[in-house]
Structure formats: structure tokens, C-alpha cells
């Protein structure tokens, strides 16, 4: 039994491990861990307290995948409900669909009995305002919800190195079953309605009991274009080791063309219970904890440089 997570998952690790120790499923462990990250107001990349899009709306994306059946549920661009991962799980477990977006996801969250809240904290709102005022005249800032074109302002305001984040959790339970969950408030200051890799199965999340699981943080557009999480699991199926599979996925990302490229981080687990972490940023870490360990291990991800480009 093991939990693997991005380092910002530390706050949820005890809850996830407790689920496994109590005989719970990998799906339940992933949800339990991510819920605590979503509720953490100090994590500005996930759930409550996340940074908003360019017009000041906080939109959440999440997905969960059950490696036993390859069933999955996801929500995207959902406003007003902290626990996007729980809504995603209910999509998986109660609907014949896999992905709900926007108002449909919000209606479904309300049907689940969740209470609508304002998720934008004063701290996140202040950072949004300060950051955007640096880049745009006061009349543009005042009219962001009006009819001004946002295209150029999104490119200016978005910081490719610092304005993203996401949480990944992968669990393997006592039965050897694997699940993977991802939750994010997406790319800060992005165009309204922008959806990243986190709710896109195969891009930011994939789990298959037969081989393993993988999840991404970083520039979601890159993971969508390269099909990164699914590629890692497919490379495992083709017989590569976990290290080889992650390295191959990083090579796919390295070979992407185009004008906008930034960072990518991977966590992965093979069916034998071995964890791995890769990143295009030096010295970046991930965490894992086996059920018989007292505390999580913080391990350095294998560094694979990727080209960075930011051209208009
Ligand atoms: N990786 C999260 C996002 O790009 O939205």
C-alpha cells in the first residue's frame, strides 16, 4: 500500500494513508487526501483560496480514475464548490458520463447537496489585483468584465513560471488496486473558460491496475498535446520500466513545437508499487508514503530540461 503525491499534497497525506490502513479503497484514499489540499487556503493552486482567471473568477478542474475498471469522472471550469475531487468522484460513480463543465458541473454539485461558497479569499483577490495592475492600464483593469478583447492581456499577465499549480495523488490499496486523482484551480489569470490537463483523462491523469498510473502538474496545455499521463501507462504496457516510461514521456514533451512551452512535472507509480517523479525544474520534489511508514518521504524528481518559449 502506498500513496504518491505532488509535494503540496503533504497536508492530505495522513488522511490518505489512514484510509489505506483502515482497509479503504485507493479511490477513497485519493479523494481523502485531495480534499484537504482543496480546503487549504494557503495553497493558491487548488480549491478554496486558489488564484482566479483574468476577470477574477475562480474556476476549478478535477478528475479521478479507478484503475480497476478504467472508470473516471471529471469536472472543469466549475465555480463555487471547494471539493471538485468529490464532485468528480460522484460523476464517476453515479452518472453515465465522464466530464461535466461549468454550469452543468455546478448544478450536479448542488444536487449532491454541496453548499455554494465564495472560494476567492481576500489574499488571492489582492494578489490578482496587484499582479494585473502591474501589466495593464487602470481603464483596462476596470473593464475586464466588459467587452474589451482579453487575448493580448492574457498573454501579458500570465506568468509562465509561477502562475500554475495542481495537486496529484496516486494510491495503491491492500488489494493492489490503483487510483489517481488531480485537482487544480488551473492557470492563474488565464482566459475565462480555459481548461488544463487536470480533468482531461489521458493528459493530466491516468490509472490502469494492469500497469500503473501517472499524473501531471505544470503547463496543462503541454500534457494535453502530448497525451502525457496515458503515454506513461502505455509505455509501461509496452514493457518499459517506470523510469524509462517517464523519461520517454519527457522526451515527447521536449519534442513539442509551437510558441508556448513551459514547465512539466510528473508523478507515477507502477503496478509493483514503485513510485517515480520527473520534472523540467531542477531540485523539484514529490512525496510518497507506504502504509507501514511513519511519515512521508520527500524525494527529488529526476530532472529533464525542457525548452521554454513564450512568444506572442
Ligand atoms: N496542470 C494544471 C493546469 O495546467 O491547469
Amino acid at each position: 500500500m502506498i500513496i504518491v503525491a505532488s509535494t503540496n499534497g503533504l497536508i492530505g497525506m495522513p488522511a490518505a494513508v489512514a484510509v489505506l490502513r483502515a482497509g479503504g479503497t485507493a479511490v477513497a484514499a485519493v479523494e481523502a487526501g485531495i480534499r484537504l489540499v482543496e480546503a487549504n487556503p494557503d495553497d493558491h493552486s487548488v480549491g478554496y483560496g486558489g488564484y482566479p482567471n483574468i476577470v477574477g473568477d475562480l474556476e476549478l478542474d478535477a478528475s479521478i480514475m479507478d484503475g480497476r475498471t478504467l472508470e473516471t469522472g471529471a469536472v472543469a471550469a466549475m465555480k463555487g464548490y471547494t471539493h471538485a475531487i468529490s464532485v468528480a468522484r460522484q460523476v464517476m460513480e453515479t452518472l453515465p458520463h465522464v466530464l461535466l463543465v461549468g454550469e452543468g458541473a455546478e448544478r450536479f454539485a448542488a444536487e449532491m447537496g454541496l453548499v455554494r461558497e465564495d472560494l476567492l479569499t481576500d489574499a488571492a483577490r489582492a494578489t490578482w489585483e496587484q499582479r494585473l495592475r502591474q501589466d495593464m492600464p487602470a481603464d483596462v483593469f476596470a473593464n475586464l468584465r466588459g467587452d474589451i478583447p482579453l487575448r493580448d492581456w492574457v498573454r501579458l499577465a500570465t506568468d509562465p513560471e509561477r502562475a500554475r499549480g495542481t495537486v496529484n495523488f496516486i494510491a495503491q490499496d491492500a488489494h493492489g488496486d490503483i487510483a489517481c486523482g488531480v485537482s487544480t484551480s488551473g492557470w492563474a489569470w488565464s482566459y475565462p473558460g480555459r481548461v488544463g490537463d487536470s480533468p482531461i483523462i489521458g493528459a493530466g491523469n491516468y490509472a490502469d491496475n494492469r500497469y500503473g498510473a501517472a499524473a501531471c502538474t505544470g503547463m496543462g496545455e503541454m500534457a494535453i498535446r502530448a497525451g502525457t499521463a496515458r503515454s506513461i501507462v502505455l509505455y509501461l504496457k509496452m514493457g518499459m520500466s517506470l523510469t524509462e516510461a517517464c523519461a520517454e514521456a519527457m522526451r515527447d514533451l521536449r519534442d513539442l513545437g509551437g510558441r508556448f512551452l513551459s514547465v512539466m512535472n510528473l508523478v507515477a507509480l507502477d503496478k509493483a508499487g514503485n513510485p517515480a517523479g520527473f520534472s523540467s525544474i531542477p531540485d523539484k520534489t514529490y512525496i510518497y508514503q507506504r502504509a507501514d511508514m511513519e511519515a512521508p518521504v520527500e524525494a527529488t524528481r529526476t530532472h529533464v530540461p525542457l525548452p521554454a518559449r513564450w512568444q506572442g
Side-chain angles (χ1 to χ4, degrees), residues 17-222:
V17 170
V19 170
L20 295 187
R21 286 180 181 154
T25 64
V27 166
V30 160
E31 183 188 13
I34 289 179
R35 280 179 65 90
L36 290 169
V37 186
E38 290 175 333
N40 178 11
D42 297 327
D43 190 322
H44 298 300
S45 69
V46 183
Y48 180 77
Y51 287 145
N53 64 23
I54 193 166
V55 301
D57 288 335
L58 179 50
E59 298 180 326
L60 303 184
D61 300 337
S63 66
I64 193 162
M65 186 162 189
D66 186 340
R68 289 174 296 190
T69 57
L70 308 195
E71 288 176 298
T72 179
V75 292
M78 182 180 74
K79 296 178 196 160
Y81 296 93
T82 298
H83 293 299
I85 194 68
S86 297
V87 185
R89 183 177 176 185
Q90 288 296 311
V91 170
M92 176 172 78
E93 293 185 347
T94 68
L95 290 179
H97 309 310
V98 298
L99 172 60
L100 296 181
V101 304
E103 288 177 10
E106 292 154 26
R107 177 177 173 142
F108 182 67
E111 272 183 37
M112 285 173 58
L114 301 182
V115 177
R116 197 174 180 98
E117 310 166 76
D118 182 2
L119 308 185
L120 189 62
T121 58
D122 291 345
R125 192 189 311 273
T127 304
W128 165 76
E129 178 164 351
Q130 185 191 35
R131 182 72 185 85
L132 266 58
R133 282 188 183 281
Q134 282 173 13
D135 282 324
M136 55 183 63
D139 62 317
V140 172
F141 181 78
N143 280 300
L144 285 171
R145 288 185 187 275
D147 58 3
I148 59 161
L150 293 175
R151 190 177 52 194
D152 292 339
W153 298 115
V154 162
R155 205 161 47 218
L156 277 176
T158 299
D159 179 336
E161 297 305 323
R162 287 182 297 143
R164 270 185 304 277
T166 297
V167 66
N168 299 154
F169 264 76
I170 302 173
Q172 186 175 41
D173 64 27
H175 300 289
D177 294 327
I178 298 172
C180 187
V182 182
S183 184
T184 188
S185 51
W187 192 346
W189 342 133
S190 62
Y191 204 100
R194 177 265 180 188
V195 172
D197 59 323
S198 304
I200 307 298
I201 290 302
N205 181 353
Y206 205 79
D208 183 333
N209 265 11
R210 297 172 298 172
Y211 311 110
C216 306
T217 63
M219 184 179 181
E221 284 76 358
M222 292 167 63

Side-chain angles (χ1 to χ4, degrees), residues 3 10 96 121 132 138 149 206 220-221 232 260 271 287 289-290:
I3 303 287
L10 189 62
T121 58
L132 266 58
Y206 205 79
E221 284 76 358
I232 292 169
F260 298 106
K271 68 178 180 185
I287 54 175
Q289 186 172 356
R290 300 186 191 281

